[in-house]
Amino acid sequence: MPVNKEAYLQLKKELDAKGVTLVAVSKTKPVADILELYHLGQRDFGENYVQELADKAPQLPHDIRWHFIGHLQRNKVKYIAPFVHLIHSVDAFSLLQEINKQAEKTNRILPVLLQMYIATEESKFGLSEDELKALLAGLADVPLHGVRIEGMMGMASFTDDVEKIKPEFRFLQNMFQRYAALKTSNIHFTQLSMGMSSDYQLAIEYGSTLVRIGSLLFGNRTTVEK
Ligand SMILES: *Cc1c(COP(=O)(O)O)cnc(C)c1O
């Protein structure tokens, strides 16, 4: 399926007008497709799998900002730490510690988002509010100088039912606003990563600053997702 350039240009215009960042989710898509959007001006791309990202990144221009949006295993952080722009999917203090360790090795301060559990339809990755509190308490005890928590990420239930999704987005927006007050050397909330191809407009109504869009730009994914 070819890249939908018209959809890209229209979406980009719409998001620019609202000050929302577009992350083009290129998982399972070839390097050639990414380059097509790159040549139209796109710089933020999102990937879900460490191996795939580590394979693709060296083949592509170095000014691409790579967003890691999939579930991240601790033992794989080292492969992306030297170059990743933002990790959206931190869901455990132990993972944050590993990101900190790898960031310090490469002399970086790595920006991350905390992935929150907001879906009610099915189980997805993410922190509950209690787990969030525990993570922040851990961070207060053991300050990590190699990471900066820049906000939150969430995935709504996989459904077309807008009335199911609204309260999930509202819940995350409320939590984001409450915890944004908490500023420390490690924590400075500016980014709310919420919304995909099917629900990004609704997500923006609930305060999303960054949407992660794949199929609308690259067509449906035929490969089975891991
Ligand atoms: C695949 C994926 C997206 C993009 O989904 P589309 O429906 O194709 O826009 C966004 N966020 C995450 C975390 C994903 O895994």
PDB file of all heavy atoms in Angstrom, residues 25 27 48 69-70 115 153 155 158 195-198 212-216 219 221 225, ligand 1:
ATOM      1  N   VAL A  25       3.732   6.862  12.768  1.00  0.00           N
ATOM      2  CA  VAL A  25       4.070   5.532  13.283  1.00  0.00           C
ATOM      3  C   VAL A  25       4.371   4.587  12.113  1.00  0.00           C
ATOM      4  O   VAL A  25       3.484   4.214  11.357  1.00  0.00           O
ATOM      5  CB  VAL A  25       2.935   4.976  14.161  1.00  0.00           C
ATOM      6  CG1 VAL A  25       3.259   3.556  14.621  1.00  0.00           C
ATOM      7  CG2 VAL A  25       2.716   5.883  15.370  1.00  0.00           C
ATOM      8  N   LYS A  27       5.984   1.504  12.179  1.00  0.00           N
ATOM      9  CA  LYS A  27       6.240   0.087  12.475  1.00  0.00           C
ATOM     10  C   LYS A  27       5.768  -0.797  11.322  1.00  0.00           C
ATOM     11  O   LYS A  27       4.708  -0.536  10.746  1.00  0.00           O
ATOM     12  CB  LYS A  27       5.553  -0.324  13.774  1.00  0.00           C
ATOM     13  CG  LYS A  27       4.043  -0.227  13.719  1.00  0.00           C
ATOM     14  CD  LYS A  27       3.398  -0.617  15.055  1.00  0.00           C
ATOM     15  CE  LYS A  27       1.908  -0.367  15.000  1.00  0.00           C
ATOM     16  NZ  LYS A  27       1.337   0.055  16.272  1.00  0.00           N
ATOM     17  N   ASN A  48       7.704   0.612  17.318  1.00  0.00           N
ATOM     18  CA  ASN A  48       7.293  -0.203  18.469  1.00  0.00           C
ATOM     19  C   ASN A  48       8.280  -1.268  18.881  1.00  0.00           C
ATOM     20  O   ASN A  48       8.175  -1.796  19.975  1.00  0.00           O
ATOM     21  CB  ASN A  48       6.004  -0.961  18.147  1.00  0.00           C
ATOM     22  CG  ASN A  48       4.805  -0.076  18.134  1.00  0.00           C
ATOM     23  OD1 ASN A  48       4.764   0.881  17.376  1.00  0.00           O
ATOM     24  ND2 ASN A  48       3.841  -0.368  18.987  1.00  0.00           N
ATOM     25  N   ILE A  69       7.538   3.835  21.012  1.00  0.00           N
ATOM     26  CA  ILE A  69       6.171   3.857  21.545  1.00  0.00           C
ATOM     27  C   ILE A  69       5.677   2.479  21.970  1.00  0.00           C
ATOM     28  O   ILE A  69       4.566   2.344  22.464  1.00  0.00           O
ATOM     29  CB  ILE A  69       5.186   4.474  20.518  1.00  0.00           C
ATOM     30  CG1 ILE A  69       5.098   3.618  19.246  1.00  0.00           C
ATOM     31  CG2 ILE A  69       5.594   5.901  20.162  1.00  0.00           C
ATOM     32  CD1 ILE A  69       4.025   4.095  18.272  1.00  0.00           C
ATOM     33  N   GLY A  70       6.484   1.436  21.777  1.00  0.00           N
ATOM     34  CA  GLY A  70       6.034   0.081  22.117  1.00  0.00           C
ATOM     35  C   GLY A  70       6.466  -0.326  23.516  1.00  0.00           C
ATOM     36  O   GLY A  70       7.140   0.421  24.226  1.00  0.00           O
ATOM     37  N   GLN A 115       3.716   5.762  30.664  1.00  0.00           N
ATOM     38  CA  GLN A 115       2.522   5.202  30.022  1.00  0.00           C
ATOM     39  C   GLN A 115       1.509   4.827  31.085  1.00  0.00           C
ATOM     40  O   GLN A 115       1.775   4.026  31.970  1.00  0.00           O
ATOM     41  CB  GLN A 115       2.888   3.984  29.177  1.00  0.00           C
ATOM     42  CG  GLN A 115       1.657   3.403  28.486  1.00  0.00           C
ATOM     43  CD  GLN A 115       1.979   2.371  27.429  1.00  0.00           C
ATOM     44  OE1 GLN A 115       3.148   2.078  27.173  1.00  0.00           O
ATOM     45  NE2 GLN A 115       0.951   1.827  26.817  1.00  0.00           N
ATOM     46  N   MET A 153       1.640   9.180  28.498  1.00  0.00           N
ATOM     47  CA  MET A 153       1.109   8.587  27.268  1.00  0.00           C
ATOM     48  C   MET A 153      -0.013   7.634  27.659  1.00  0.00           C
ATOM     49  O   MET A 153       0.020   7.045  28.739  1.00  0.00           O
ATOM     50  CB  MET A 153       2.226   7.816  26.567  1.00  0.00           C
ATOM     51  CG  MET A 153       1.851   7.197  25.242  1.00  0.00           C
ATOM     52  SD  MET A 153       1.244   5.527  25.340  1.00  0.00           S
ATOM     53  CE  MET A 153       2.406   4.717  24.246  1.00  0.00           C
ATOM     54  N   MET A 155      -3.199   4.842  25.800  1.00  0.00           N
ATOM     55  CA  MET A 155      -3.931   4.269  24.668  1.00  0.00           C
ATOM     56  C   MET A 155      -5.338   3.945  25.119  1.00  0.00           C
ATOM     57  O   MET A 155      -5.530   3.184  26.063  1.00  0.00           O
ATOM     58  CB  MET A 155      -3.256   2.981  24.197  1.00  0.00           C
ATOM     59  CG  MET A 155      -2.025   3.225  23.352  1.00  0.00           C
ATOM     60  SD  MET A 155      -1.204   1.667  23.027  1.00  0.00           S
ATOM     61  CE  MET A 155      -1.996   1.208  21.485  1.00  0.00           C
ATOM     62  N   PHE A 158      -9.717  -0.122  22.282  1.00  0.00           N
ATOM     63  CA  PHE A 158      -9.789  -0.323  20.844  1.00  0.00           C
ATOM     64  C   PHE A 158     -11.242  -0.518  20.461  1.00  0.00           C
ATOM     65  O   PHE A 158     -11.761  -1.626  20.426  1.00  0.00           O
ATOM     66  CB  PHE A 158      -8.939  -1.531  20.458  1.00  0.00           C
ATOM     67  CG  PHE A 158      -8.730  -1.644  18.982  1.00  0.00           C
ATOM     68  CD1 PHE A 158      -7.925  -0.734  18.313  1.00  0.00           C
ATOM     69  CD2 PHE A 158      -9.346  -2.646  18.250  1.00  0.00           C
ATOM     70  CE1 PHE A 158      -7.732  -0.826  16.944  1.00  0.00           C
ATOM     71  CE2 PHE A 158      -9.161  -2.746  16.879  1.00  0.00           C
ATOM     72  CZ  PHE A 158      -8.353  -1.829  16.229  1.00  0.00           C
ATOM     73  N   GLY A 195      -3.881   9.592  21.326  1.00  0.00           N
ATOM     74  CA  GLY A 195      -4.597   9.659  20.061  1.00  0.00           C
ATOM     75  C   GLY A 195      -3.853   8.959  18.934  1.00  0.00           C
ATOM     76  O   GLY A 195      -2.644   9.099  18.796  1.00  0.00           O
ATOM     77  N   MET A 196      -4.607   8.161  18.150  1.00  0.00           N
ATOM     78  CA  MET A 196      -4.087   7.400  17.021  1.00  0.00           C
ATOM     79  C   MET A 196      -4.972   7.717  15.802  1.00  0.00           C
ATOM     80  O   MET A 196      -5.794   8.613  15.868  1.00  0.00           O
ATOM     81  CB  MET A 196      -4.082   5.907  17.352  1.00  0.00           C
ATOM     82  CG  MET A 196      -3.574   5.672  18.753  1.00  0.00           C
ATOM     83  SD  MET A 196      -3.248   4.000  19.350  1.00  0.00           S
ATOM     84  CE  MET A 196      -3.779   2.888  18.116  1.00  0.00           C
ATOM     85  N   SER A 197      -4.813   6.953  14.723  1.00  0.00           N
ATOM     86  CA  SER A 197      -5.559   7.271  13.498  1.00  0.00           C
ATOM     87  C   SER A 197      -7.061   7.434  13.743  1.00  0.00           C
ATOM     88  O   SER A 197      -7.690   8.342  13.209  1.00  0.00           O
ATOM     89  CB  SER A 197      -5.346   6.183  12.444  1.00  0.00           C
ATOM     90  OG  SER A 197      -4.027   6.207  11.970  1.00  0.00           O
ATOM     91  N   SER A 198      -7.624   6.550  14.542  1.00  0.00           N
ATOM     92  CA  SER A 198      -9.086   6.527  14.662  1.00  0.00           C
ATOM     93  C   SER A 198      -9.621   7.530  15.683  1.00  0.00           C
ATOM     94  O   SER A 198     -10.803   7.853  15.654  1.00  0.00           O
ATOM     95  CB  SER A 198      -9.536   5.118  15.050  1.00  0.00           C
ATOM     96  OG  SER A 198      -8.896   4.737  16.242  1.00  0.00           O
ATOM     97  N   ARG A 212      -0.029   9.921  17.722  1.00  0.00           N
ATOM     98  CA  ARG A 212       0.771   8.854  17.099  1.00  0.00           C
ATOM     99  C   ARG A 212      -0.070   8.205  16.005  1.00  0.00           C
ATOM    100  O   ARG A 212      -1.018   7.472  16.283  1.00  0.00           O
ATOM    101  CB  ARG A 212       1.147   7.805  18.165  1.00  0.00           C
ATOM    102  CG  ARG A 212       1.769   8.389  19.418  1.00  0.00           C
ATOM    103  CD  ARG A 212       1.986   7.290  20.461  1.00  0.00           C
ATOM    104  NE  ARG A 212       0.785   6.510  20.701  1.00  0.00           N
ATOM    105  CZ  ARG A 212      -0.123   6.781  21.624  1.00  0.00           C
ATOM    106  NH1 ARG A 212       0.028   7.777  22.467  1.00  0.00           N
ATOM    107  NH2 ARG A 212      -1.199   6.032  21.756  1.00  0.00           N
ATOM    108  N   ILE A 213       0.276   8.494  14.752  1.00  0.00           N
ATOM    109  CA  ILE A 213      -0.596   8.095  13.654  1.00  0.00           C
ATOM    110  C   ILE A 213       0.118   7.200  12.653  1.00  0.00           C
ATOM    111  O   ILE A 213       1.146   7.589  12.086  1.00  0.00           O
ATOM    112  CB  ILE A 213      -1.148   9.355  12.961  1.00  0.00           C
ATOM    113  CG1 ILE A 213      -1.816  10.212  14.038  1.00  0.00           C
ATOM    114  CG2 ILE A 213      -2.056   8.975  11.795  1.00  0.00           C
ATOM    115  CD1 ILE A 213      -3.068  10.878  13.681  1.00  0.00           C
ATOM    116  N   GLY A 214      -0.429   6.012  12.452  1.00  0.00           N
ATOM    117  CA  GLY A 214       0.168   5.064  11.521  1.00  0.00           C
ATOM    118  C   GLY A 214      -0.670   4.834  10.284  1.00  0.00           C
ATOM    119  O   GLY A 214      -0.379   5.341   9.203  1.00  0.00           O
ATOM    120  N   SER A 215      -1.748   4.066  10.427  1.00  0.00           N
ATOM    121  CA  SER A 215      -2.492   3.572   9.264  1.00  0.00           C
ATOM    122  C   SER A 215      -3.064   4.679   8.383  1.00  0.00           C
ATOM    123  O   SER A 215      -3.150   4.525   7.163  1.00  0.00           O
ATOM    124  CB  SER A 215      -3.582   2.590   9.690  1.00  0.00           C
ATOM    125  OG  SER A 215      -4.227   3.022  10.843  1.00  0.00           O
ATOM    126  N   LEU A 216      -3.406   5.795   8.958  1.00  0.00           N
ATOM    127  CA  LEU A 216      -3.928   6.912   8.165  1.00  0.00           C
ATOM    128  C   LEU A 216      -2.897   7.392   7.140  1.00  0.00           C
ATOM    129  O   LEU A 216      -3.259   7.854   6.055  1.00  0.00           O
ATOM    130  CB  LEU A 216      -4.278   8.061   9.124  1.00  0.00           C
ATOM    131  CG  LEU A 216      -5.203   9.159   8.634  1.00  0.00           C
ATOM    132  CD1 LEU A 216      -6.578   8.615   8.296  1.00  0.00           C
ATOM    133  CD2 LEU A 216      -5.337  10.241   9.702  1.00  0.00           C
ATOM    134  N   GLY A 219      -1.196   3.401   5.410  1.00  0.00           N
ATOM    135  CA  GLY A 219      -2.103   2.316   5.048  1.00  0.00           C
ATOM    136  C   GLY A 219      -2.145   1.272   6.152  1.00  0.00           C
ATOM    137  O   GLY A 219      -1.362   1.324   7.102  1.00  0.00           O
ATOM    138  N   ARG A 221      -1.669  -2.063   8.312  1.00  0.00           N
ATOM    139  CA  ARG A 221      -0.531  -2.964   8.455  1.00  0.00           C
ATOM    140  C   ARG A 221      -0.993  -4.389   8.179  1.00  0.00           C
ATOM    141  O   ARG A 221      -1.981  -4.835   8.744  1.00  0.00           O
ATOM    142  CB  ARG A 221       0.050  -2.862   9.881  1.00  0.00           C
ATOM    143  CG  ARG A 221       0.756  -1.559  10.147  1.00  0.00           C
ATOM    144  CD  ARG A 221       1.153  -1.434  11.592  1.00  0.00           C
ATOM    145  NE  ARG A 221       0.005  -1.345  12.488  1.00  0.00           N
ATOM    146  CZ  ARG A 221      -0.611  -0.201  12.788  1.00  0.00           C
ATOM    147  NH1 ARG A 221      -0.210   0.932  12.291  1.00  0.00           N
ATOM    148  NH2 ARG A 221      -1.645  -0.209  13.609  1.00  0.00           N
ATOM    149  N   GLU A 225       0.947  -8.200  14.284  1.00  0.00           N
ATOM    150  CA  GLU A 225       1.664  -7.459  15.321  1.00  0.00           C
ATOM    151  C   GLU A 225       2.056  -8.370  16.461  1.00  0.00           C
ATOM    152  O   GLU A 225       1.323  -9.257  16.857  1.00  0.00           O
ATOM    153  CB  GLU A 225       0.794  -6.314  15.833  1.00  0.00           C
ATOM    154  CG  GLU A 225       0.696  -5.225  14.771  1.00  0.00           C
ATOM    155  CD  GLU A 225       0.019  -3.978  15.321  1.00  0.00           C
ATOM    156  OE1 GLU A 225       0.268  -3.657  16.486  1.00  0.00           O
ATOM    157  OE2 GLU A 225      -0.725  -3.343  14.563  1.00  0.00           O
TER     158      GLU A 225
HETATM  159  C1  LIG B   1       0.571   1.180  16.144  1.00  0.00           C
HETATM  160  C2  LIG B   1       0.450   2.223  17.185  1.00  0.00           C
HETATM  161  C3  LIG B   1      -0.068   3.499  16.888  1.00  0.00           C
HETATM  162  C4  LIG B   1      -0.629   3.872  15.521  1.00  0.00           C
HETATM  163  O1  LIG B   1      -1.842   3.247  15.304  1.00  0.00           O
HETATM  164  P1  LIG B   1      -2.745   3.593  14.005  1.00  0.00           P
HETATM  165  O2  LIG B   1      -4.087   3.124  14.399  1.00  0.00           O
HETATM  166  O3  LIG B   1      -2.161   2.831  12.879  1.00  0.00           O
HETATM  167  O4  LIG B   1      -2.681   5.059  13.812  1.00  0.00           O
HETATM  168  C5  LIG B   1      -0.081   4.443  17.895  1.00  0.00           C
HETATM  169  N1  LIG B   1       0.383   4.186  19.127  1.00  0.00           N
HETATM  170  C6  LIG B   1       0.886   2.977  19.449  1.00  0.00           C
HETATM  171  C7  LIG B   1       1.382   2.754  20.830  1.00  0.00           C
HETATM  172  C8  LIG B   1       0.929   1.966  18.501  1.00  0.00           C
HETATM  173  O5  LIG B   1       1.412   0.766  18.849  1.00  0.00           O
END
